[in-house]
């Protein structure tokens, strides 16, 4: 079989990397189409995934004009590469996967989450043969829509898949018992981030200064805008492939972005999200809050004070790890499901019995 994967962001690389590896080892031909965006190609190289680049996307604020210009040239490259590869099934999301499937007349599998806005869903839904999303997604995307008990991040952070790197503390330069915090600042450059604001510059500085009075602080700045030279913090400068190992060892993650909050929570690390001006309710965050693994805050003062409170709680780490063991182990190993869906060419009726058991038609659960 020939499997085409559209991976536009670092999170997409993680989503598919274990499935791609297993499919290749089983003798299938896999190609990842990607764009130069943040550390996406760095991850593809690190995990030795077969890929071709179809375009570029800078980490700057989203604009409709800029997005339209991007799509024009990228569609042509996607079309050329897709036709040349001749896939039997395509995985992706949004207009990219829809275009590739239409031009090659190939079954399309969309793996979606509870993101705000309707653009990606509206554009791609008519072209999808199979749509997979977490059960907490609050949309019904039609007869081809199936849900599973878990999160997209379960493809690489499920306990059956994730193996922490024991050397990450040495790489970071922290002692075995030295507590540290990861702070993640969003570039807010995605389509669904239009007109949103996270931590303001003065809040970023204040947060770093206050947290650093208690623990070592590492800053991951997606937009690469912060000058840390006069701040008591260190830039997170390990290879981006090690970020989950660093998160697993951290005492806390504080962020104004979504994916890394989900990831830290599933690793059993206290994960605090500052909503800023984002008032969309995400099913994933609500579920992780219910499980006691993540917390969301509407005001800067609230997230800052709660962060200091948790760092002073000597039992927090044990409490979060216990919640992870009780909750995450029962979720679906998404990699297993993706591999089976690929082998079935996106046809649910052809799935193994074990995969059929973990999928639910969305229309029957609304």
């Amino acid at each position: 079989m020939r499997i085409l994967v559209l991976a536009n962001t670092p999170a997409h690389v993680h989503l598919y990397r274990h499935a791609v590896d297993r499919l290749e080892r089983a003798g299938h031909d896999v190609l990842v189409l990607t764009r130069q965006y943040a550390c996406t190609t760095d991850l593809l190289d690190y995990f030795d995934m077969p890929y071709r680049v179809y375009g570029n996307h800078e980490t700057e604020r989203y604009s409709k004009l800029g997005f339209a210009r991007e799509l024009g040239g990228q569609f042509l490259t996607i079309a050329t590469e897709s036709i040349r590869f001749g896939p039997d099934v395509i995985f992706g999301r949004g207009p990219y996967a829809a275009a590739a499937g239409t031009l090659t007349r190939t079954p399309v599998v969309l793996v979606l989450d509870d993101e705000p806005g309707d653009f990606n869903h509206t554009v791609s839904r008519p072209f999808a043969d199979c749509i997979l999303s977490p059960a907490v997604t609050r949309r019904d995307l039609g007869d081809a829509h199936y849900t599973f008990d878990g999160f997209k991040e379960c493809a690489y952070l499920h306990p059956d898949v994730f193996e922490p790197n024991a050397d990450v503390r040495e790489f970071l330069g922290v002692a075995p018992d030295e507590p540290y915090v990861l702070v993640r600042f969003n570039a807010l450059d995605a389509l669904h981030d239009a007109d949103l604001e996270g931590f303001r510059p003065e809040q970023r500085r204040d947060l770093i200064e206050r947290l650093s009075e208690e623990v070592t602080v590492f800053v991951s700045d997606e937009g690469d805008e912060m000058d840390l030279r006069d701040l008591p913090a260190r830039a997170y400068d390990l290879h981006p492939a090690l970020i989950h190992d660093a998160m697993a060892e951290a005492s806390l993650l504080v962020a104004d972005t979504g994916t890394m909050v989900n990831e830290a929570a599933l690793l059993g690390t206290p994960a605090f999200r500052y909503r800023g001006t984002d008032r969309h309710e995400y099913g994933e965050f609500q579920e992780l809050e219910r499980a006691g693994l993540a917390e969301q805050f509407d005001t800067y003062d609230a997230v800052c004070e709660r962060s200091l409170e948790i760092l002073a709680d000597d039992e927090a780490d044990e409490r979060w790890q216990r919640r992870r063991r009780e909750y995450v182990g029962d979720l679906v190993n998404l990699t297993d499901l993706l591999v089976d869906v690929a082998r079935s060419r996106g046809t649910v009726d052809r799935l193994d019995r074990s995969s059929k058991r973990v999928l639910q038609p969305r229309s029957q659960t609304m």
Side-chain angles (χ1 to χ4, degrees):
M1 282 184 59
R2 301 173 72 81
I3 299 105
L4 181 66
V5 176
L6 278 295
N8 299 326
T9 70
H12 296 166
V13 175
H14 288 299
L15 169 62
Y16 292 111
R17 63 184 175 91
H18 289 295
V20 168
D21 179 61
R22 283 176 52 180
L23 289 165
E24 283 195 306
R25 285 191 284 110
H28 302 290
D29 291 328
V30 184
L31 174 65
V32 178
L33 287 183
T34 190
R35 61 186 179 183
Q36 294 281 0
Y37 168 63
C39 61
T40 303
T41 54
D42 292 331
L43 290 173
L44 289 164
D45 288 328
Y46 185 92
F47 296 119
D48 195 25
M49 296 169 68
Y51 73 92
R52 294 176 191 156
V53 175
Y54 67 76
N56 185 61
H57 178 71
E58 300 295 335
T59 53
E60 57 189 25
R61 288 278 181 163
Y62 165 82
S63 73
K64 291 181 179 179
L65 179 59
F67 184 64
R69 286 174 176 169
E70 272 189 15
L71 286 182
Q74 292 174 1
F75 275 152
L76 179 59
T77 305
I78 290 172
T80 302
E81 295 291 353
S82 299
I83 293 171
R84 179 182 299 158
F85 183 64
D88 296 299
V89 64
I90 295 171
F91 285 82
R93 61 188 295 147
Y96 308 96
T102 300
L103 292 166
T104 59
R105 299 183 179 179
T106 303
V108 173
V109 179
L110 305 179
V111 184
L112 306 176
D113 54 13
D114 203 17
E115 70 171 21
D118 295 316
F119 178 78
N120 278 328
H121 302 86
T122 300
V123 169
S124 55
R125 172 182 171 180
F127 305 94
D129 296 85
C130 180
I131 302 174
L132 304 177
S133 75
V136 296
T137 301
R138 294 161 304 154
R139 301 171 186 264
D140 183 350
L141 298 175
D143 293 340
H145 186 187
Y146 294 85
T147 64
F148 59 91
D149 189 13
F151 303 81
K152 296 198 323 312
E153 294 81 8
C154 287
Y156 53 98
L157 296 180
H158 190 279
D160 292 344
V161 176
F162 179 70
E163 296 181 6
N165 188 326
D167 296 325
V168 71
R169 282 185 169 271
E170 180 181 348
F171 298 155
L172 286 170
V174 295
D177 59 349
E178 181 179 350
Y180 66 86
V181 171
L182 276 174
V183 179
R184 171 69 164 182
F185 296 130
N186 199 342
L188 294 171
D189 61 324
L191 174 62
H192 55 260
D193 292 327
D195 302 321
L196 294 182
E197 180 181 66
F199 288 111
R200 298 195 301 272
E202 67 274 15
Q203 292 172 337
R204 293 183 176 196
R205 297 180 63 87
D206 183 68
L207 179 67
I208 291 169
E209 289 173 348
R210 296 182 66 179
L211 292 179
S212 68
E213 294 176 1
E214 308 299 327
V215 296
T216 300
V217 177
F218 289 94
V219 176
S220 173
D221 180 19
E222 187 179 27
D224 196 26
E225 300 172 345
M226 288 205 68
D227 184 350
L228 299 177
R229 286 177 296 183
D230 63 340
L231 287 171
R234 295 158 59 182
Y236 174 81
D237 58 2
L238 299 188
H239 193 284
L242 298 174
I243 188 62
H244 303 118
D245 305 290
M247 275 194 277
E249 284 290 313
S251 298
L252 171 68
L253 172 87
V254 185
D256 55 5
T257 183
T259 297
M260 285 184 64
V261 170
N262 287 354
E263 291 171 336
L266 292 173
L267 289 168
T269 297
F272 295 168
R273 174 179 178 257
Y274 174 52
R275 290 162 57 102
T277 60
D278 186 359
R279 291 296 174 261
H280 180 80
E281 294 295 339
Y282 301 83
E284 288 89 349
F285 294 142
Q286 291 180 331
E287 175 63 12
L288 289 169
E289 282 187 299
R290 186 196 65 77
L293 292 168
E295 299 177 21
Q296 295 189 91
F297 302 87
D298 291 328
T299 68
Y300 168 72
D301 288 341
V303 69
C304 187
E305 294 302 323
R306 177 60 175 148
S307 298
L308 295 171
E309 178 185 336
I310 207 71
L311 291 176
D313 184 350
D314 294 335
E315 299 179 355
D317 180 68
E318 181 181 347
R319 193 161 64 249
W320 253 260
Q321 287 298 321
R322 183 180 69 250
R323 292 169 183 170
R324 177 182 186 256
R325 289 192 299 270
E326 294 172 350
Y327 179 71
V328 181
D330 291 332
L331 300 179
V332 170
N333 179 341
L334 183 55
T335 288
D336 288 344
L337 180 59
L338 292 176
V339 169
D340 196 15
V341 170
R343 288 171 174 162
S344 74
R345 304 190 184 197
T347 302
V348 172
D349 290 342
R350 297 177 184 169
L351 292 176
D352 290 343
R353 185 176 301 175
S354 59
S355 293
K356 286 183 179 179
R357 280 200 300 265
V358 303
L359 287 179
Q360 294 292 327
R362 185 55 172 166
S363 57
Q364 295 182 13
T365 58
M366 290 294 286

